[in-house]
Amino acid sequence: MKKNVYHILRGKFLISDDSFKNWRIIILISILAIIMIASSHKADQKVYEIAKLTNEVKELRSAFVDKRGKLMQLKKESFVEAEMKDKGVGISLNPPTKIIVKPSE
């Protein structure tokens, strides 16, 4: 047992006669580790992108609600009346009349 541990620590398993098997396994494990690390980095990038887009959606939704509230304020009759009074236009006291045009025969 002590001899096997000593051989592993010295690296003799890499230079012995049947070391080709060991090198194949080491290379395979190395490639799998690189793939796993790359996959992990890709997943982290996706998480950061999702968080960024979520914050952007929240900001845009907040801006939408704010603009919609301002639009509702601008559409109120009292607001329009006050703005037009400054320009000298007031509400008509007479209701509108409908003009009917008969087609010429």
Side-chain angles (χ1 to χ4, degrees):
M1 173 81 175
K2 191 174 188 182
K3 184 178 178 185
N4 288 339
V5 172
Y6 182 71
H7 283 300
I8 290 174
L9 290 176
R10 296 275 296 180
K12 291 202 179 209
F13 69 97
L14 296 175
I15 56 173
S16 65
D17 294 335
D18 60 345
S19 66
F20 184 69
K21 291 188 307 184
N22 297 334
W23 277 106
R24 285 192 311 189
I25 291 174
I26 290 172
I27 291 173
L28 176 67
I29 290 173
S30 299
I31 290 172
L32 290 177
I34 290 170
I35 291 172
M36 188 178 81
I37 291 170
S39 174
S40 172
H41 284 293
K42 280 287 198 184
D44 287 343
Q45 286 177 348
K46 297 280 185 189
V47 168
Y48 288 134
E49 186 178 348
I50 288 171
K52 185 180 98 176
L53 290 174
T54 302
N55 287 337
E56 188 177 341
V57 165
K58 286 180 183 178
E59 289 174 9
L60 290 173
R61 185 171 287 139
S62 174
F64 167 72
V65 169
D66 184 45
K67 298 293 181 187
R68 185 174 58 183
K70 287 182 182 179
L71 176 65
M72 295 301 274
Q73 180 70 26
L74 292 173
K75 286 171 59 176
K76 285 185 181 177
E77 184 179 352
S78 59
F79 182 81
V80 172
E81 180 182 353
E83 288 290 316
M84 296 312 284
K85 189 174 275 186
D86 293 340
K87 296 179 181 179
V89 179
I91 295 178
S92 175
L93 300 176
N94 300 329
T97 57
K98 189 173 188 180
I99 300 173
I100 300 175
V101 179
K102 293 184 181 180
S104 59
E105 294 178 22

